[in-house]
């Protein structure tokens, strides 16, 4: 069966990208990683992509006049490589509505909290500062609001008494590395149906 061509959007270390690369090495995985797009040069995620032989594109945030122009440039970079879906794997920019219009129900994000708790860029630090006993990972479809679209999968991660941001984030990421490839594979196989805010797996 043809694989779903996806673009992976990154900003940093790319451990979730690596999980996708490893998953895509299996012949049964439903998606093909056709390009990795970063909003900044020089990040480790780009090295991971190059090592795996995946084309890379850098769309620098600073080089665009506003969010709309940046969003269109990101979508254009993905489209140049034939991507039919976007996977935000540690992508720390907010895409404008132009992306949702171009990839309706075809954008997936991974987030290091149990949404709707702690949306935004500092979820792990804010979870610790709040004193929660349970954190977790969420994979969800992207809609027009930040960290808000229908939830594909979630899994709790206990907060341990001596956790700092790094130790808790590492345990959450270990869960993300399983949930994100599972979700992308299910999306590619057409096994995810959105009904309002609810995502059904089949
Ligand atoms: C991941 O934990 C991801 O959930 C988080 O950034 C990390 C990137 O790690 N994303 C967000 O906080 C988005 N709001 P990685 O680059 O090693 O995959």
């Amino acid at each position: 069966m043809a694989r779903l061509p996806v673009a992976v959007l990154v900003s940093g270390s790319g451990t979730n990208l690596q999980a996708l690369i490893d998953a895509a090495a299996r012949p049964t995985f439903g998606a093909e990683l056709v390009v990795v797009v970063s909003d900044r040069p020089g990040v480790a995620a780009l090295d991971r992509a190059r090592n795996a032989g995946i084309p890379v594109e850098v769309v620098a945030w600073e080089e665009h006049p506003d969010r709309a122009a940046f969003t269109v440039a990101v979508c254009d970079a993905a489209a140049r490589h034939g991507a039919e879906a976007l996977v935000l794997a540690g992508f720390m920019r907010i895409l404008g509505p132009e992306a949702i219009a171009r990839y309706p129900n075809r954008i997936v994000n991974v987030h290091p909290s149990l949404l709707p708790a702690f949306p935004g860029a500092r979820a792990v630090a804010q979870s610790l500062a709040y004193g929660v006993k349970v954190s977790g990972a969420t994979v969800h479809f992207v809609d027009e609001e930040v960290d808000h679209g229908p939830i594909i999968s979630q899994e709790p991660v206990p907060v341990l008494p001596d956790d700092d941001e790094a130790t808790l984030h590492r345990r959450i990421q270990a869960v993300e590395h399983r949930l994100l490839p599972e979700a992308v594979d299910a999306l590619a196989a057409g096994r995810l149906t959105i009904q309002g805010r609810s995502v059904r797996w089949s």
Side-chain angles (χ1 to χ4, degrees):
M1 229 175 66
R3 290 179 154 199
L4 176 72
V6 305
V8 184
L9 278 48
V10 297
S11 298
S13 64
T15 64
N16 278 287
L17 168 64
Q18 190 64 53
L20 289 164
I21 290 170
D22 295 345
R26 292 196 294 272
T28 54
F29 192 69
E32 179 188 359
L33 313 183
V34 292
V35 63
V36 170
V37 182
S38 174
D39 66 318
R40 61 192 79 171
V43 294
L46 290 171
D47 295 329
R48 293 180 191 272
R50 291 192 189 98
N51 288 340
I54 302 168
V56 302
E57 299 257 4
V58 175
V59 179
W61 170 259
E62 300 74 23
E63 289 172 12
H64 297 84
D66 54 26
R67 189 178 310 284
F70 172 76
T71 301
V72 168
V74 168
C75 291
D76 285 349
R80 270 197 294 281
H81 297 268
E84 293 174 15
L86 308 182
V87 177
L88 280 53
F91 187 64
M92 301 309 277
R93 301 284 178 190
I94 295 163
L95 292 173
E98 300 80 7
I100 288 101
R102 213 143 134 190
Y103 290 97
N105 298 333
R106 283 285 177 278
I107 310 179
V108 168
N109 182 42
V110 61
H111 184 77
S113 74
L114 293 176
L115 290 173
F118 307 111
R122 300 192 60 249
V124 180
Q126 289 172 351
S127 302
L128 281 172
Y130 198 90
V132 298
K133 301 296 188 197
V134 178
S135 181
T138 302
V139 179
H140 66 95
F141 283 109
V142 172
D143 66 6
E144 283 81 359
E145 293 177 48
V146 175
D147 295 332
H148 172 270
I151 291 170
I152 299 169
S153 55
Q154 274 186 317
E155 192 170 301
V157 173
V159 178
L160 303 179
D162 293 331
D163 263 337
D164 59 24
E165 187 178 347
T167 58
L168 177 58
H169 201 167
R170 262 200 300 279
R171 290 204 315 288
I172 294 172
Q173 281 174 315
V175 173
E176 293 179 341
H177 298 164
R178 183 163 37 79
L179 295 191
L180 185 61
E182 265 174 19
V184 171
D185 187 48
L187 174 73
R191 295 197 291 123
L192 302 180
T193 309
I194 304 176
Q195 294 175 333
R197 281 211 51 86
S198 174
V199 177
R200 283 175 178 276
W201 288 65
S202 57

